[in-house]
Amino acid sequence: MMYKVQVRFLFHSDIKIKIPEIYDDSIFDDLFGILEDVNRKYNSYSENSYIDKINKNSGHFVKVDLQTIEILRKIIYLSKIIGGEYDITIMPLIRLWGFYKQNPVLPCFEEIKKAKKLVDYKKIIVDRKRSRIKIEKNQEIITGSFIKAYAIEKMVNRMRELGIEDAVVNAGGSSIIAIDEWGIIAVLKMKKRY
């Protein structure tokens, strides 16, 4: 079987989709459109995404869509079942350690102690009834650990709807998903070695 491939840059990585050549090229726009929609609406790094608005309005409720509510509820649940070892409000510590600076400086103990007080997923308030979210003042949510995988999952569901039974998605090398003719999905997570 012959295949066609398209690559687009999303979520700070190249996303490659490989599908059988029998499908029209417009399917790529459909599939990448799903990824672009998730990136635009729910990526904390995307200006004016729901998460960006929550972060910029910390301490206040922010009106969001149902998808934001569901994403955050699932992530909060995950954090809860693993005892808080995974926490999407860790951004203040990430910034403190200088991950976004040209010349990072090792923070002092008092700065770390102060920033750690902001890291607590339990302080995220999800008001499903009114479709709104609130984080504590100066808290910040980071979606980098899960948003690409969430988007790829939505896209794979669309592939199934379209009847695509043979495909490979390489999500920047960190996640590779293969769909075979029997509908089996293989997910390979590649760990980066430093």
Side-chain angles (χ1 to χ4, degrees), residues 56-171:
K56 288 178 177 172
N57 293 284
S58 65
H60 304 283
F61 276 104
V62 174
K63 192 85 167 150
V64 296
D65 68 352
L66 184 59
Q67 200 67 46
T68 306
I69 300 271
E70 291 309 310
I71 291 168
L72 291 179
R73 286 181 69 207
K74 286 178 183 176
I75 295 298
I76 290 167
Y77 175 74
L78 174 65
S79 295
K80 184 178 179 180
I81 64 172
I82 61 174
E85 293 297 318
Y86 173 73
D87 195 319
I88 61 170
T89 63
I90 197 161
M91 195 62 174
L93 274 174
I94 291 172
R95 288 192 191 285
L96 178 66
W97 280 92
F99 286 98
Y100 296 97
K101 295 178 184 173
Q102 287 285 359
N103 299 310
V105 177
L106 186 65
C108 71
F109 179 74
E110 286 304 313
E111 291 173 314
I112 295 170
K113 190 175 169 182
K114 184 179 175 184
K116 279 180 74 175
K117 289 179 184 177
L118 298 171
V119 180
D120 187 353
Y121 72 93
K122 291 178 260 174
K123 293 179 180 176
I124 300 171
I125 300 171
V126 178
D127 183 351
R128 186 176 184 166
K129 201 176 221 180
R130 295 182 180 160
S131 296
R132 60 188 191 159
I133 305 284
K134 178 182 174 185
I135 57 177
E136 289 288 306
K137 185 73 176 158
N138 298 319
Q139 268 194 317
E140 191 174 351
I141 292 172
I142 182 170
T143 59
S145 62
F146 68 87
I147 201 65
K148 180 168 58 171
Y150 172 77
I152 297 296
E153 182 180 328
K154 285 188 70 146
M155 186 192 65
V156 167
N157 289 339
R158 178 65 178 144
M159 285 179 163
R160 285 185 176 138
E161 289 172 7
L162 294 169
I164 297 173
E165 297 176 342
D166 187 10
V168 175
V169 179
N170 183 338

